[in-house]
């Protein structure tokens, strides 16, 4: 058994102070285990969200040593324990308490996206036929666990606070899943440009880097959506991007 | 006087897993004014964690399947303690509910013909589980959530209901606190639907999240509802056992559905050693035939790894007890062996079981395409629950409905894998429909301010004891250790008696627990309040289990290791008597309708 120190941001409403907790650590522990241990050994009011403890629900997002991560999937073995491990709440959202933030803007943004509207059923029993190859692209997007780490890292939200004008990478992934759904007949391109701010994205790919589900957010979701926008309107970044993209 | 905000709705749905979301969609569709409350953020309920799939006799992967076979499989799996009408409705309606999810945007894995594909699972005679890799629950909850947010019901996320309000014998609403700031809310409603999920958190080793504290079970019990079959817990045979911090996390049965085998430390496939008579005619007795079944050979019988969960779990315990376990106290689950039979086995495993691959790689440092997993039983699901009318899902309390895992009856003594996700949408829909109907025929009940103030006071009591009281996490851990030891997978009369005694002490400790700081997002306070439902559920489990002097399904009694036909005739009923004590009765099971009985018998041949 060895010891490690965790430097956790504590406080309410954005007024945060780092506090150090030293605990015994065991084999295979993840950051979320450390937080739970600290809670049950004394800091019972330490606020944290979690559910599945297996990377499936997207509740335990935080910034560990400055990196947006799922705490339940971050093993202590992979961190430098000679230094205190810092655990901070996500920065892009209004702070509630300790490691908990108010992520409701993401839900509001999603609601602004036009829902799924399928074509007429293919079969008399009201069902459809789709090939596995045709659904795979959409299945990639539907892996999203709504952890909002991509939203946290995107500078348009994090630094420029465009929460009400820019739906963010998570919601572009959602729009892409709908737009590329083989059965869908709705048109969302106008909204993406006008109300949902896709033009603010300058393809930095920071969102893709942090996605725990390895969704190729920028390449597979945002760029194809931008291309659809360009086909209908004009978008400076896509134009640039297209100029440099190798022709397939 | 404690302040609170009052809300009024026709139908109040408590719980936003598959069952609650489906209920809210249905109730809203009738024009009723509906609220949906959940403890976590929307989309994070247990349903999101479901992996393997959703059972429905659609016949897209095997055209021999039909609702009647699904019905018979469910009854056999439940060892005939099921409510047969619920099993009938479930088998008949599940396929429509799957297709409805597709119409709302779900993208299931496909057959070569472009239809919804179905996979093998334990206890199901044919390939019957619609699935999306091993993240079916995510697909279900997201589809319902994304469809639901446009249906007009109001969502209150991170609200926890602590008590139901009563107007005489009828339910009148619920009292809740909001997590972020601890403010109080009174929800008045004409009808209330409980869809609160399970109670795995009564145990130390569990696949359930912090939410699984049996709140709905306890709320209904305290409101006077009858509870059934509370002795039947499902210990899933394959939870992770190593490293310690992930102990209990689920390894989907889909691994065995794709050909995974169980081996002991000697490398022996021990499931061949004990095949129960009820299943011998449909279970293979050699490896070659078992593999043919996995590859879709309709002549082949199922491999023994796909026997029902209760049986597989006990075989694993036997191997461990007799010294043939794995280094960390489990057994081996091996999927990499399929490369003996399959060229591109590695890619196949990653495609079919992506999140299992990920989970073991990230959390245990094990590559399942090359190494075996170490697995052992974990507390997973509660078959018992609120007793409901099969057609309407109304409990024995007027105006109070229940659906999903917190309702009892469909699964009898043991649930088949995949039958929960289908349960959620079949009975979620029914609960929504009939609760809305009930609401439209009744006036708003009255609320007693005295009752509200009593609840508010009790909810704040842990703060009054403050630092002088015991840390609620410690009490929760002590309860979980006790239940694990005294009411686990193998039970004895002596241990259960001790369990009931220890429970009384734990109740006394819980009454003295204290929490620090304020009401803002305070896990200590939240945990203190969770103790009440955890204790009520643990007592219901022990009280029910100690009286069933036989072994059946999820209840294994070491003093009575056999099934007893006399005990197949009744269900355990628990309810709160007028003086507040917990009472238990045995309720005779009504005769199964003759046409259904015929189906059962045909399928036994
Ligand atoms: C890891 C795992 C894998 C599984 N795999 C499968 C599978 O492959 N196939 C299958 O059929 N089944 C599977 N199951 C079982 C199945 O997922 C669950 O039984 C099912 O999801 C329960 O759904 P539910 O709607 O009843 O409740 P849940 O999804 O558990 O939701 C309960 C809801 O109630 C809310 N709630 C609870 N108490 C309160 C309260 N006091 N106040 C307000 N809200 C409250 C919670 O916040 C939550 O929103 C699996 C379960 C687990 C844990
Ligand atoms: S690629 Fe676009 S959406 Fe992603 S982080 Fe960069 S600016 Fe934000
Ligand atoms: S796209 Fe990836 S990072 Fe963004 S919310 Fe979904 S899972 Fe998280
Ligand atoms: S707790 Fe579910 S993703 Fe971490």
């Amino acid at each position: 058994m060895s010891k490690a120190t965790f430097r956790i941001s504590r406080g309410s409403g954005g007024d945060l102070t780092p506090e150090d907790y030293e605990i015994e650590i065991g084999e295979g522990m993840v950051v979320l285990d450390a937080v739970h241990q600290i809670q049950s050994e004394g800091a019972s009011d330490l606020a944290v969200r979690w559910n599945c403890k297996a990377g499936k629900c997207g509740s335990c997002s935080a910034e560990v040593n400055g990196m947006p991560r799922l705490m339940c999937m971050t093993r202590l073995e992979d961190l430098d324990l000679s230094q205190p491990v810092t655990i901070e709440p996500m920065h892009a959202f209004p702070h509630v308490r300790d490691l908990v933030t108010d992520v409701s803007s993401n839900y509001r943004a999603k609601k602004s996206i036009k829902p799924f509207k399928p074509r007429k059923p293919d079969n008399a029993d009201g069902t459809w036929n789709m090939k596995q190859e045709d659904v795979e692209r959409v299945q990639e997007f539907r892996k999203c666990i709504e952890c909002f780490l991509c939203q946290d890292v995107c500078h348009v939200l994090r630094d420029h606070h465009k929460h009400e004008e820019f739906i963010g990478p998570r919601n572009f992934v959602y729009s892409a899943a709908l737009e590329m759904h083989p059965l869908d007949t709705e048109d969302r391109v106008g909204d993406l440009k006008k109300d949902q701010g896709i033009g603010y994205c300058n393809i930095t790919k920071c969102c893709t880097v942090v996605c725990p589900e390895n969704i190729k957010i920028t390449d597979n979701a945002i760029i194809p959506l931008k291309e659809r926008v360009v086909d209908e309107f004009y978008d400076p970044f896509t134009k640039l991007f297209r100029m440099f993209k190798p022709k397939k | 006087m404690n302040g609170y905000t009052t809300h009024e709705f026709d139908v109040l749905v408590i719980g936003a897993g598959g069952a609650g979301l489906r209920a809210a969609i249905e109730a809203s569709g009738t024009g009723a004014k509906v609220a949906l409350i959940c403890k976590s953020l929307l989309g994070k309920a247990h349903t999101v964690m479901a992996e393997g799939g959703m059972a429905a006799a659609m016949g897209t992967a095997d055209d021999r399947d039909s609702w009647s076979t699904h019905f018979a499989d469910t009854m056999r799996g439940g060892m005939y303690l099921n409510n047969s009408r619920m099993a009938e409705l479930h088998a008949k309606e599940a396929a429509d509910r799957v297709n409805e999810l597709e119409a709302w945007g779900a993208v299931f894995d496909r057959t070569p013909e472009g239809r919804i594909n179905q996979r093998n699972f334990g206890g199901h005679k044919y390939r019957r589980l619609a699935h999306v890799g091993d993240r079916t629950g995510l697909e279900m909850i997201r589809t319902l959530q994304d469809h639901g947010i446009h249906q007009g019901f109001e969502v209150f996320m991170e609200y926890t209901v602590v008590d139901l309000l009563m107007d005489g014998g009828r339910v009148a609403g619920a009292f809740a606190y909001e997590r972020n700031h601890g403010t109080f809310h009174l929800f008045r409603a004409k009808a209330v639907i409980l869809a609160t999920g399970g109670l795995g958190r009564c145990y130390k080793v569990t696949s359930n999240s912090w939410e699984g504290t049996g709140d709905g079970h306890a709320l209904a019990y305290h409101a006077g509802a009858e509870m059934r079959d509370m002795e039947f817990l499902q210990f899933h045979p394959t939870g992770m056992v190593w490293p310690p911090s992930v102990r209990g996390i689920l390894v989907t049965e889909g691994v065995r559905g794709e050909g995974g085998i169980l081996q002991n430390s000697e490398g022996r496939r021990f499931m061949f050693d004990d095949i129960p008579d009820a299943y011998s005619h449909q279970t293979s007795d050699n490896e070659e035939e078992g593999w043919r079944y996995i590859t879709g050979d309709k002549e082949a019988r199922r491999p023994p790894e796909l026997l029902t969960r209760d049986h597989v779990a006990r075989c694993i315990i036997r191997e461990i007890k007799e010294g043939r376990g794995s280094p960390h106290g489990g057994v081996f689950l091996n999927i990499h062996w399929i490369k003996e039979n399959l060229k591109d086995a590695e890619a196949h495993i990653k495609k079919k079981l992506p999140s299992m691959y990920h989970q073991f790689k990230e959390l245990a440092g094990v590559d399942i395409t090359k190494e075996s997993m170490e697995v052992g039983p974990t507390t997973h699901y509660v078959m018992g629950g609120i007793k409901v009318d099969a057609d309407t899902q109304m409990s024995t309390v007027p105006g109070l409905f229940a659906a999903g895992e917190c309702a009892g009856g469909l699964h009898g003594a043991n649930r088949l894998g995949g039958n929960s996700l289908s349960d959620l949408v079949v009975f979620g829909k029914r609960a929504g429909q009939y609760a809305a109907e009930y609401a439209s025929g009744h006036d708003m009940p009255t609320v007693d301010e005295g009752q509200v103030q009593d609840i508010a006071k009790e909810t704040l009591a842990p703060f009054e004891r403050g630092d002088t009281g015991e840390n609620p996490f410690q009490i929760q851990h002590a309860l979980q250790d006790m239940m694990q030891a005294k009411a686990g997978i193998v039970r004895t009369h002596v241990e259960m008696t001790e369990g009931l005694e220890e429970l009384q002490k734990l109740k006394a400790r819980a009454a003295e627990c204290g929490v620090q700081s304020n009401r803002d997002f305070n896990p200590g306070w939240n945990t203190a309040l969770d103790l009440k439902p955890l204790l009520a559920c643990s007592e219901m489990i022990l009280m029910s289990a100690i009286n069933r002097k036989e072994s059946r399904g999820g209840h294994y009694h070491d003093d009575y290791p056999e099934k007893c036909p006399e005990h197949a005739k009744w269900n355990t009923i628990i309810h709160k008597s007028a003086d507040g004590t917990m009472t238990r009765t045995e309720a005779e099971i009504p005769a199964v309708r003759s046409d259904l009985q015929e189906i059962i018998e045909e399928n036994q041949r």
Side-chain angles (χ1 to χ4, degrees):
Chain A
M1 283 280 194
S2 58
K3 288 188 182 261
T5 301
F6 296 85
R7 184 163 292 168
I8 304 181
S9 304
R10 307 257 357 226
S12 288
D15 185 11
L16 288 164
T17 337
E19 276 194 42
D20 283 3
Y21 300 89
E22 192 187 48
I23 58 164
E24 291 275 355
I25 60 165
E27 196 175 346
M29 267 173 74
V30 293
V31 171
L32 185 63
D33 294 321
V35 173
H36 282 158
Q37 196 169 320
I38 291 163
Q39 250 178 5
S40 67
E41 285 174 4
S44 72
D45 62 340
L46 168 53
V48 60
R49 282 200 185 98
W50 68 283
N51 284 83
C52 69
K53 239 180 140 298
K56 294 188 169 70
C57 72
S59 301
C60 64
S61 307
E63 299 187 9
V64 179
N65 285 342
M67 274 298 290
R69 306 285 308 242
L70 296 177
M71 285 185 277
C72 72
M73 296 303 277
T74 306
R75 299 232 285 173
L76 298 186
E77 276 162 44
D78 300 333
L79 302 172
D80 173 10
L81 299 180
S82 65
Q83 309 279 330
V85 175
T86 63
I87 314 176
E88 297 165 278
M90 290 192 283
H91 282 78
F93 308 111
H95 186 242
V96 177
R97 182 173 187 181
D98 303 336
L99 300 175
V100 174
T101 58
D102 175 4
V103 292
S104 58
S105 60
N106 301 304
Y107 289 87
R108 283 195 301 278
K110 187 185 214 181
K111 208 169 169 176
S112 76
I113 298 166
K114 287 189 189 138
F116 178 63
K117 191 167 134 196
R119 67 171 187 240
K120 277 217 190 77
D122 300 335
N123 306 314
D125 62 355
T127 61
W128 290 268
N129 300 329
M130 289 185 272
K131 289 271 179 243
Q132 185 62 37
E133 305 87 88
D134 299 333
V135 301
E136 250 150 46
R137 187 161 63 157
V138 176
Q139 285 185 334
E140 177 194 357
F141 302 142
R142 295 186 66 88
K143 285 193 309 190
C144 169
I145 55 173
E146 301 199 330
C147 64
F148 308 128
L149 289 172
C150 56
Q151 306 279 94
D152 181 44
V153 83
C154 176
H155 67 102
V156 182
L157 298 170
R158 191 183 179 99
D159 302 328
H160 305 288
H161 310 290
K162 302 253 182 242
H163 292 80
E164 304 304 323
E165 300 153 62
F166 177 72
I167 59 174
R170 155 57 191 140
N171 286 309
F172 293 136
V173 168
Y174 178 58
S175 302
L178 290 167
E179 283 287 296
M180 298 177 203
H181 193 303
L183 306 182
D184 184 69
T185 58
E186 188 58 86
D187 182 2
R188 300 173 188 81
V189 176
D191 291 349
L192 281 166
K193 178 175 160 62
K194 284 198 223 80
D195 308 319
Q196 296 167 347
I198 197 167
Y200 284 117
C201 164
N202 56 347
I203 320 183
T204 58
K205 300 203 185 185
C206 312
C207 51
T208 305
V209 173
V210 299
C211 177
E213 287 292 315
N214 297 316
I215 300 170
K216 301 250 178 332
I217 303 176
T218 350
D219 289 1
N220 292 353
I222 298 180
I223 292 172
L225 289 180
K226 277 178 169 277
E227 288 179 341
R228 289 183 188 203
V229 171
V230 169
D231 290 342
E232 271 184 46
F233 307 95
Y234 166 80
D235 176 283
F237 291 108
T238 314
K239 188 146 184 242
L240 252 172
F241 184 81
R242 274 189 170 177
M243 276 160 61
F244 296 111
K245 197 168 85 170
K247 291 265 179 293
K248 276 205 203 111
Chain B
M1 272 290 281
N2 281 295
Y4 56 86
T5 311
T6 305
H7 312 262
E8 284 190 23
F9 290 94
D10 295 324
V11 178
L12 173 67
V13 184
I14 305 174
L21 278 161
R22 187 63 191 82
I25 291 169
E26 195 66 20
S28 281
T30 68
K33 189 175 174 221
V34 179
L36 178 68
I37 310 186
C38 53
K39 291 203 282 190
S40 288
L41 295 171
L42 192 59
K44 313 293 184 195
H46 264 125
T47 302
V48 79
M49 293 152 69
E51 296 163 355
M54 164 174 186
M58 304 195 293
T60 51
D62 191 328
D63 57 16
R64 292 171 300 179
D65 204 5
S66 65
W67 78 263
S68 56
T69 320
H70 190 183
F71 165 76
D73 287 351
T74 302
M75 293 295 293
R76 183 194 297 109
M79 300 187 132
Y80 307 106
L81 293 192
N82 326 52
N83 176 325
S84 54
R85 172 71 176 156
M86 281 177 88
E88 177 197 3
L89 291 170
H90 169 253
K92 282 182 172 164
E93 294 174 9
D96 286 347
R97 296 286 81 77
V98 176
N99 288 330
E100 172 180 87
L101 289 174
E102 183 166 86
W104 293 346
V107 184
F108 291 100
D109 286 353
R110 319 303 298 179
T111 66
E113 299 76 40
R115 311 296 302 277
I116 293 174
N117 198 6
Q118 300 190 273
R119 74 157 39 120
N120 294 316
F121 239 55
H124 293 284
K125 189 166 178 192
Y126 301 116
R127 290 173 57 179
R128 190 176 284 148
L129 268 67
H131 61 276
V132 188
D134 53 5
R135 53 161 194 85
T136 314
L138 170 65
E139 190 68 20
M140 173 186 267
I141 201 164
R142 203 66 82 228
T143 302
L144 292 170
Q145 171 189 344
D146 296 347
H147 179 74
I149 55 175
H150 299 287
Q151 305 310 306
F153 55 80
E154 204 172 324
V155 180
F156 295 84
M157 53 186 189
E158 300 194 308
Y159 281 62
T160 302
V161 170
V162 290
D163 226 332
L164 295 177
L165 298 154
M166 304 299 290
D167 178 1
R170 182 185 159 199
V171 73
F175 190 77
Y177 69 88
E178 173 261 343
R179 213 161 142 79
N180 282 359
H181 298 293
T183 54
F184 287 154
H185 297 262
L186 170 65
F187 291 88
R188 299 184 59 189
K190 297 174 187 165
V192 175
I193 301 174
L194 292 169
T196 50
L199 47 70
R201 284 270 141 190
C202 292
Y203 291 79
K204 184 175 172 193
V205 179
T206 176
S207 63
N208 290 191
S209 81
W210 69 272
E211 291 200 312
T213 46
D215 299 10
H217 289 79
L219 291 169
Y221 165 76
H222 288 298
E226 289 186 12
M227 309 294 296
R228 60 177 285 171
D229 303 330
M230 290 297 288
E231 64 272 41
F232 295 110
L233 268 285
Q234 180 164 80
F235 300 93
H236 194 290
T238 60
M240 290 178 83
V241 297
W242 186 260
S245 69
V246 297
R247 192 167 191 121
I249 289 180
L250 196 75
V251 180
T252 173
E253 188 167 318
V255 176
R256 284 169 284 143
E258 297 297 336
I261 57 174
L262 289 165
Q263 291 170 307
N264 62 20
S265 59
E266 297 158 5
R268 185 175 168 77
R269 228 176 126 175
F270 57 83
M271 286 308 299
F272 280 120
D273 299 346
D274 178 6
I275 298 171
D277 291 342
Y279 287 92
S280 57
H281 64 294
Q282 36 169 272
T283 308
S284 60
D285 51 16
N286 64 83
E287 299 200 354
E288 183 271 337
E289 183 181 357
W291 175 254
R292 278 197 285 119
Y293 178 87
I294 297 291
T295 56
D297 181 340
K298 294 186 179 175
E299 302 305 310
R301 293 171 301 172
R302 257 181 292 161
E305 276 83 4
L306 292 178
L307 284 162
T308 53
R309 290 179 175 175
D310 54 322
H311 181 73
V312 179
R314 274 195 303 278
C315 290
I316 292 176
I317 293 283
R318 178 194 67 217
E319 293 302 305
I320 299 169
K321 274 204 172 145
E322 293 176 8
R324 294 185 296 273
S326 68
H328 301 106
V331 294
F332 295 105
L333 173 61
N334 174 343
I335 181 78
H336 59 87
W337 82 285
I338 66 171
K339 59 181 171 253
E340 291 173 21
N341 298 309
L342 209 68
K343 265 202 325 300
D344 52 352
E346 197 174 318
H348 181 80
I349 294 168
K350 286 186 191 163
K351 166 88 193 92
K352 284 294 182 180
L353 302 163
S355 76
M356 283 304 110
Y357 174 76
H358 195 62
Q359 184 172 314
F360 272 89
K361 190 99 187 144
E362 303 279 317
L363 294 174
V366 169
D367 179 350
I368 68 168
T369 67
K370 298 194 174 65
E371 300 159 85
S372 295
M373 302 162 240
E374 271 189 79
V375 296
T378 179
T379 312
H380 184 55
Y381 186 89
V382 57
M383 273 70 75
I386 302 157
K387 187 179 146 199
V388 290
D389 174 70
D391 289 79
T392 65
Q393 298 293 106
M394 187 152 95
S395 71
T396 56
V397 173
L400 183 63
F401 296 73
E405 190 170 341
C406 68
L410 171 61
H411 308 292
N414 176 51
R415 171 180 74 96
L416 298 185
N419 267 1
S420 171
L421 290 185
S422 42
D423 169 8
L424 307 183
V425 278
V426 166
F427 294 107
K429 175 182 189 296
R430 284 183 165 268
Q433 177 186 340
Y434 288 100
E437 192 180 297
Y438 181 94
S440 76
H442 290 81
D443 291 333
M444 187 63 84
T446 48
V447 167
D448 170 7
E449 178 64 21
Q451 195 193 358
V452 175
Q453 287 303 327
D454 287 347
I455 300 168
K457 195 157 172 261
E458 190 187 333
T459 307
L460 292 175
F463 283 115
E464 266 148 46
R465 294 186 291 267
D467 284 347
T468 55
E470 191 180 357
N471 178 334
F473 286 101
Q474 303 296 341
I475 304 171
Q476 195 196 51
H477 294 162
L479 173 66
Q480 291 165 339
D481 286 336
M482 185 282 280
M483 288 298 284
Q484 191 78 27
K486 309 291 183 194
I489 186 164
V490 175
R491 301 164 175 175
T492 67
H493 189 79
V494 170
E495 285 174 355
M496 288 187 277
T497 311
E498 289 166 359
L500 279 166
E501 283 162 17
E502 284 180 36
L503 194 81
Q504 298 310 322
K505 293 186 202 137
L506 286 160
K507 274 191 194 167
R509 274 169 74 181
E512 293 304 317
C513 77
V515 299
Q516 336 156 3
S517 149
N518 59 34
R519 284 156 74 171
D520 290 354
F521 210 112
N522 185 338
W525 181 39
N526 309 148
T527 301
L529 298 176
D530 289 345
L531 291 173
K532 184 178 168 190
L534 282 172
L535 286 161
C537 289
S538 300
E539 189 169 358
M540 289 190 249
I541 294 168
L542 280 162
M543 281 274 285
S544 304
I546 203 165
N547 182 52
R548 185 169 283 279
K549 297 190 171 63
E550 64 158 352
S551 293
R552 180 182 297 272
H555 171 68
Y556 187 82
H557 199 317
D558 213 24
D559 306 341
Y560 308 91
E562 299 301 324
K563 208 162 52 183
C564 164
E566 278 307 303
H567 295 316
K569 295 183 180 150
W570 51 271
N571 296 110
T572 310
I573 299 289
I574 295 277
H575 86 280
K576 190 170 168 176
S577 53
D579 66 359
T581 53
M582 195 176 278
T583 4
R584 173 187 62 221
T585 49
E586 294 172 8
E588 196 183 324
I589 298 177
V592 175
R593 225 172 56 216
S594 60
D595 55 321
L596 296 178
Q597 187 59 37
E598 265 169 47
I599 294 173
I600 291 173
E601 280 159 24
E602 260 165 43
N603 279 275
Q604 278 166 341
R605 274 178 237 133

